[in-house]
Amino acid sequence: MEQNSVLKLEDLIKLADEKYLELIDNGQITDLLKAIGRFSDQTISNDVLILTQNPNATCVKRMKEWNYYSRSVIKNQKSIKVISHRLDKVDNNYEDEKGNVFSDGVEKLRPDIGYLFDISQTEGKEYPYLNTNKENIARFFESAKSALERTAKGYEFKYVDQEPYAKMDKENKVIYIKDGLSIDELINTLVNQTTRVLLDSRKPEGLTSEDKPNIDEVEYNFALYAIKSKLGLNLPDFDYEQIQNYTKAEKIDFAQNLQKVRSVTKQLLSNFDRSIEIAVRDLEKKIAEQEAPTQEEAKQEEVAPAKTTTKKRTKAKQAESEVQ
């Protein structure tokens, strides 16, 4: 594994800012949205840094986090450097009027360089939670459906006979879903509605409707792209390259809108992925419980012939003694 780099934090921050503008100017905003979906627990700056250093990365964690899942970093792998934060305790000493000295410990967040590794740079136990795709969604459909419904906090879902796939009653906090949809149609519809709810719950950040009249539509479609690209669902049809026409100042401000998109993406996907992870573990537990009696029976079968042989020998000896 590589040693700590001499790269300075200031250089990393500057690189993230430069590459962010470069991605937009080159019409690569969808690449950034995919990164937001894959690494929703990171910041926009870190999504840019991950994309810049390892465009093929799919699942990144710190070394300790990989160790938790019984995986280790392969020797001589180059880490992905990101902007991290750590808590430092600062002692503010002060003296009262009597001359007594006190120490008031305060914890403050300090930016630092963090080190991540993609799953392709690790080895060990299989990591079964990597692909939350259509296959896993269909396999654990009830868990996926329940996770999405729970994420739209405060809203009730009702499945009714109606023409449109969905209707949202914001006043009464009810979302009406067309009954009888296929798994693919239902999951897509639930993602659409839940994303709307989450965006409505966020405060405006960055560019507003006064700056760009369609900014709400932009945020909605960007969030859907990030989420659905991660889940392998149908991507929304939208002009993603329109922000190339923004001024440089607008592009910089738009980074705050993307943070809002990332926040919504993180909340939805973390609930969704956690639900799938629990479902996978429950399935593994059930399989293990079903296999346990089979293994016990196999052991008993191994012992049984030995007991039978002993009985036969005893009977043979008794027969011999009777003959004698």
Side-chain angles (χ1 to χ4, degrees), residues 23-40:
L23 285 169
I24 295 179
D25 292 338
N26 292 340
Q28 294 177 276
I29 188 65
T30 52
D31 290 339
L32 179 55
L33 293 177
K34 289 177 183 177
I36 291 174
R38 289 195 300 267
F39 321 118
S40 57

Side-chain angles (χ1 to χ4, degrees), residues 145-163:
K145 175 176 172 288
S146 177
L148 290 170
E149 291 175 343
R150 289 196 311 271
T151 302
K153 291 182 179 179
Y155 276 80
E156 180 186 1
F157 285 82
K158 291 185 177 181
Y159 295 84
V160 297
D161 185 13
Q162 62 182 27
E163 280 307 312

